[in-house]
Each structure stands twice: as C-alpha cells, then as structure tokens.
Amino acid sequence: EQIFHLESDLVAWIVKKEYDADIAGHFDTASVLLQSPVKAGDARIKVGAAFGISGESLDKSKIASEQAFVAGKKWAWHDKEVDQAIGEKRNLLLELDQSIEDGNLGVVYQPKWDLKENRLDGAEALVRWSHPDRGMISPEIFIPLLERAGRIDELTLFVLRQALDDLSSWEVHRPGLCCSVNISAMLLGASGFVDKAIALVESAAIRNEQIVFEVTETATMSDPDVSISALMRIEAAGIRASIDDYGTGQSTMSYLQRLPVSEIKLDQSFVKTMV
C-alpha cells in the first residue's frame, strides 16, 4: 500500500475496492501490524492507534479516527450525526462567555450535613448552565469542552468568586460554614492558576480555612510530584484540600500519606450498598 504521512501523528492510505466486503478485517490487520513495539534508539515504544474511514473525504476520515479514539474503539466510519454533535458542542463553547455575562451560568450549592452534631456544616459549589434555548445543559457536556479548549481556569475562577461572595454573605447569619470548590485535574499543575485562586481566597472576607479545594484522586496520581507541590502551597495558604472519588484511582495507602489533605471522600461505589 502507498502510505501518506500527513501530520506528526497521522498517516493515511486509500482502501482498495477488494477490501470493501471486510473493512473490519482490513483494520484488524492494520492493528496487528502495530502490536510489536517500535525501536527508537535504545528504547522500545508501544504505539497505539485508532483508525477512521470515510467514502467522502480525508477530513471526514480524520474526524472518524478521532471518534474511534474517544470511544475506545479500533476504528469507526464517519458518522454524520456525531459530526453534527461536535459542531453543536463547538457552538456551545462560543456561547459560554455570553451566558456568563447574561447571568445564565450560575452556582448552586449541595449542603453538607454534620451527622454527629445534626446541623449544617457547609456546602459544595456546583456550576449550572441554564441556556435560553436549549434549557439546562449538563456540566458533563460543557466542562470537558472547556478542558479540551484550555479554558477551564476561567470557569473555575468564576465559580470560586461566586462561592466566596456567597460564603461571605452567609457569614453574617451562620458564621463558620465551609464551602468546597472543584478544581480540574489540569489546573492542579498550573502554577499561575493556583496563585490566582489563593489570591482570591486571601482577599475574601472569610477565613482561608473555610474554603476547600476539591480534586479527584486520579488528578493527583497523573503527576504526583507536581500535585503534592501544588497541594502543599494550598495548605500553606491555610486553604483546606480534599480528595474526591477516593478509591477509584487504585492509589495505595502509602501514597495517601504523602498528600497534604484534610479530607478524603470515598467514591460512592464503596458506600452505596451499605445499610
């Protein structure tokens, strides 16, 4: 076959007519060719690949390969419906800024109850998007969009500012409440973001320890040294840190000892069957 090297991580070829009846077998063969490690200098590197195919254009083949990669499949035909959904998501990204300005993006609070004292102990800040035309849009849709676009820091700081304002107003009637704010995995390693977040907390009319930065266990495991360094800076500022979904990342108890955190939240899969 004639192979075309189009981008640093993209190759393409024209599938011959004789393979039309067994496209799956064609890509199975291509996958087998990549099972053996590739030698680069003295290193042996395992290469992963996802394949896409289209009867219309090279661009659509590329989109199909991305669809296969995201879905965890070996290969995929170009899907017009998925393509349309991707287009809609891009439009949503453009509408986010306007939604914040118009007040359609807001923060709601999930209460935390102290079972021993039988009283409200604090809350967790959760972002919600009420779109004027599409209705409520799930964070599971727009949060990943912002993460991939490298703009999740803007939204996180927006939520943090709102949480600090609300916590300050609650302080008059119910002093001492705490509030948790979720921090994306990619932000934990961004020193600029951590500095901005700490500065916002320090400028608020509450004690620093009333704010909890919540990160997932898998986020701390992706780059442990960077995560521990960031968490130490957060702790040094008097802000508490919490590990969310603990138990899903397969970390050891010895690793937990290294993390400067004040709270762990067990993943629901470990507790939902308890009496």
Side-chain angles (χ1 to χ4, degrees):
E1 302 290 353
Q2 191 170 10
I3 307 293
F4 301 90
H5 190 187
L6 304 177
E7 296 175 17
S8 61
D9 61 349
L10 186 70
V11 296
W13 66 93
I14 296 171
V15 178
K16 292 179 179 176
K17 288 287 185 185
E18 61 198 73
Y19 298 123
D20 282 357
D22 188 18
I23 295 295
H26 181 69
F27 288 119
D28 283 341
T29 302
S31 297
V32 169
L33 292 173
L34 290 170
Q35 283 182 358
S36 299
V38 176
K39 194 169 183 183
D42 296 329
R44 293 171 65 80
I45 300 169
K46 180 72 175 174
V47 177
F51 304 98
I53 184 170
S54 165
E56 298 178 44
S57 73
L58 186 60
D59 285 339
K60 290 181 178 179
S61 296
K62 182 181 176 182
I63 291 170
S65 70
E66 292 169 354
Q67 292 167 2
F69 179 77
V70 170
K73 297 177 180 178
K74 276 185 190 174
W75 68 281
W77 275 100
H78 177 256
D79 188 321
K80 290 181 180 178
E81 289 185 8
V82 174
D83 204 14
Q84 183 179 354
I86 290 172
E88 287 180 359
K89 286 181 178 180
R90 288 191 186 119
N91 290 338
L92 284 179
L93 193 59
L94 295 174
E95 294 172 16
L96 263 172
D97 291 331
Q98 190 62 45
S99 290
I100 293 176
E101 287 183 23
D102 294 344
N104 296 325
L105 210 68
V107 178
V108 298
Y109 296 93
Q110 177 174 298
K112 291 184 175 182
W113 198 263
D114 186 327
L115 296 178
K116 185 178 179 181
E117 300 295 333
N118 194 30
R119 67 173 186 174
L120 183 69
D121 184 55
E124 178 178 352
L126 303 169
V127 66
R128 292 291 182 266
W129 186 4
S130 178
H131 194 283
D133 300 319
R134 306 170 193 257
M136 293 299 294
I137 299 176
S138 170
E140 293 181 1
I141 293 176
F142 66 85
I143 295 291
L145 277 178
L146 287 170
E147 287 180 329
R148 285 197 292 271
R151 290 176 49 195
I152 192 62
D153 56 334
E154 300 169 25
L155 181 66
T156 305
L157 292 173
F158 165 78
V159 173
L160 179 58
R161 286 190 192 96
Q162 186 63 56
L164 289 168
D165 287 346
D166 290 337
L167 198 54
S168 298
S169 65
W170 301 339
E171 191 74 3
V172 178
H173 307 287
R174 178 66 167 79
L177 289 178
C178 66
C179 186
S180 299
V181 176
N182 292 291
I183 306 295
S184 171
M186 61 179 59
L187 294 179
L188 202 58
S191 59
F193 169 82
V194 174
D195 291 339
K196 288 178 185 176
I198 291 174
L200 278 176
V201 175
E202 290 183 333
S203 65
I206 55 160
R207 300 190 313 278
N208 288 12
E209 59 265 27
Q210 288 177 257
I211 282 289
V212 182
F213 286 171
E214 209 167 279
V215 296
T216 60
E217 180 194 9
T218 49
T220 65
M221 290 181 67
S222 60
D223 194 333
D225 292 335
V226 170
S227 299
I228 290 169
S229 175
L231 289 170
M232 287 178 70
R233 288 168 58 206
I234 291 166
E235 182 193 43
I239 301 166
R240 292 188 290 158
S242 170
I243 302 298
D244 196 11
D245 299 334
Y246 185 75
T248 57
Q250 307 301 315
S251 63
T252 63
M253 293 299 285
S254 60
Y255 174 64
L256 184 61
Q257 286 181 313
R258 296 178 59 199
L259 294 174
V261 297
S262 58
E263 173 187 87
I264 61 170
K265 294 172 68 177
L266 294 178
D267 184 68
Q268 62 170 326
S269 60
F270 295 100
V271 295
K272 66 182 179 183
T273 57
M274 283 183 169
V275 177

